[in-house]
Amino acid sequence: MPARPTSVVLWTLLLLAAPVVSAQAAPEASRGADTPEDLHALFADWRAFERPPMRDGAPDYTAETFDARQPAFEALRARLAALDTTGWAVPDQVDWHLVRAEMNGYDFNRRVLMPWARDPAYYRSVWMGRSDVPAHEGPTHHAVTEVWTYDFPLSADAEQRLIADLSVIPPLMRQARLNLTGNARELWVAGIRPMRQQRAHLDALRDRVAPTASEALLEIIQESALATDDLVAWLEAEAPGKTGPSGIGRENYTWYQQNVHLVPLTWEDEVRLLQRELDRAWASLALEEHRNRDLPPLDLATTPEAMAAKSDEAVRRLMTFLEDRDILTVTDYMEPALLPHRVQFAPEATRNFFLIGAHYDPLPLTTHWYHWFELARMDLEPHPSPVRRGALLYNIWDSRNEGTATGVEEMFMHAGLYDDSPRSRELVWILLAQRAARGLGSLYAHANEMTMEEAGGVHMTGTPRGWMSTEPDLLIFEQHLYLRQPGYGTSYVTGKYLLERTLGDATRLAAARGEALPLGTFFDRLNAIDSVPISLARWEMTGLDDEIRALSGDRP
């Protein structure tokens, strides 16, 4: 399929071409006006500070080091607050809020979340695959080994890099025993599982490199495995004494969402929203099933060959739809980014929720892989602002990336993606119900009104057709992640809502000007703004700053 010139690039150039108005003069006559370049310099200093110092070869998360570094953090925060952004272009003001949100995230982690003290999974160090979002889901330490970045067999230089990466693990496993002083029982118990998985991943890595590995590489893999075993044994021994709650409470949850993730909702707002979306998904599914009652059921892929054909066809259908319906500008990297992530066949007994539906039609799940378009854009068309060039810290991107990937499932359906396959619409509503149910359960878990197991019950019973009861690993993984990372479980639905609101606002404003807003223009602008909270994207796209004013004490 030929690709048109990317309008994402064109829109970015338009944003760059907009005049940047300097801030008004500071009271001191000798002081020049603050500029976006001042913010960029501060951002570089902030990111350098945010990486902790090293201790015995591993990042230092000890309490005394956090205490010692606090004055330097407060100085950075004061520098940010002192910047006068009056007259700056909106994109530059958005960047100021992004830096503020990251600093709030650091502050919240230090005061409340404290993953290094409460969450054993924080010390997971070996990641075999790339996340489908800008960074790993949930709190992650600063020196992980990204196995997916290596080509095998290893070159000599790559082997030395891998040795250096893995050398962090033994001292970090020892430091974890010093730092993990928290009493969050469910985080503790569930956090043992990822550390056991790390041991399995180290074994798999050893087997993969063994034919050509040096003694030094094999030794550090073995040392890392034994250090992981020691930590797992210690965690298991300490677990019976852990008795405290793991949720952060309603007030902390609301503060975190509003001041770090810039989601203009409270805990109570999110409960109402997710319950509404859960009800809407079930009701819409019932209506779809009634409308389709005389149609034959979807064919189920029962062989690898049939699944491969369905997955190939799903990619073709999606790319043709995006191009032919002018949904967004199709670039030359989009389809190649999607192809490696085609849904693969799985035996029926091993299918989790997502794979059950995908074996009927993989297109709804393939549509969610909008994620891979965004990662390819991040790699190949990095944003011109250094603040947005890579992943924002502390999963601040969650409502944007997960919300968009979830939002387009329904948006593209309404725009006609399943006109030739009405039964596939049922799968879209089932996906939405599952995401609303799991997020709703996570809200009650964070309020300490449900255990993680009880939240999983909401997750399971809220999912249609019993599809969450077939395979427990996904249920445990998701509810554990959402307990570790406040707001992540709800971000799929809250982000979807905020994206729909932004599309509605942009369309309404265009209509007031006597103009139309093509859907392709909307998505191209959204993509050019990049992976920032939707409250900020809405401001940049529409000029509406009411949400961000409410979240920042009336500072635009």
Side-chain angles (χ1 to χ4, degrees), residues 40 57 68 462 481 490:
H40 297 165
L481 167 62
T490 61

Side-chain angles (χ1 to χ4, degrees), residues 20 36 39-40 85 88-97 388 540:
V20 177
L39 176 66
H40 297 165
T85 61
W88 286 15
V90 169
D92 296 318
Q93 294 186 64
V94 165
D95 285 351
W96 183 93
H97 283 279
R388 308 188 207 184
E540 195 165 324

Side-chain angles (χ1 to χ4, degrees), residues 370-520:
Y370 195 94
H371 283 317
W372 296 106
F373 298 159
E374 300 201 301
L375 290 182
R377 185 182 70 249
M378 186 171 75
D379 292 343
L380 301 171
E381 292 182 359
H383 197 278
S385 167
V387 177
R388 308 188 207 184
R389 197 161 293 156
L392 297 172
L393 303 179
Y394 311 115
N395 286 192
I396 289 170
W397 37 261
D398 59 1
S399 69
R400 164 63 175 82
N401 291 89
E402 297 291 13
T404 300
T406 303
V408 298
E409 293 173 13
E410 186 178 340
M411 287 179 169
F412 292 174
M413 176 182 73
H414 292 317
L417 179 57
Y418 303 107
D419 286 354
D420 59 348
S421 180
R423 283 281 188 190
S424 299
R425 295 171 60 94
E426 298 169 18
L427 301 178
V428 175
W429 294 118
I430 294 171
L431 285 167
L432 178 58
Q434 190 260 7
R435 296 201 179 96
R438 71 188 183 183
L440 191 60
S442 76
L443 284 166
Y444 289 117
H446 266 298
N448 294 312
E449 297 173 13
M450 285 186 181
T451 64
M452 197 174 100
E453 182 178 359
E454 290 168 338
V458 175
H459 186 167
M460 186 182 300
T461 60
T463 300
R465 300 183 181 174
W467 285 1
M468 271 307 303
S469 61
T470 60
E471 196 271 328
D473 283 346
L474 178 65
L475 183 70
I476 296 169
F477 166 79
E478 291 187 330
Q479 286 301 326
H480 180 218
L481 167 62
Y482 305 153
L483 198 55
R484 299 183 63 230
Q485 178 59 62
Y488 206 99
T490 61
S491 68
Y492 302 81
V493 176
T494 58
K496 170 182 171 294
Y497 157 70
L498 294 171
L499 181 65
E500 290 167 344
R501 182 181 184 189
T502 300
L503 175 59
D505 285 335
T507 303
R508 175 176 55 81
L509 291 171
R513 297 190 300 269
E515 302 170 358
L517 178 66
L519 197 58

Side-chain angles (χ1 to χ4, degrees), residues 263-284:
V263 172
L265 301 169
T266 65
W267 182 92
E268 291 79 7
D269 292 335
E270 292 196 3
V271 168
R272 287 189 291 270
L273 174 62
L274 268 72
Q275 184 63 61
R276 165 61 182 137
E277 287 293 276
L278 179 59
D279 295 340
R280 190 173 73 91
W282 274 86
S284 297

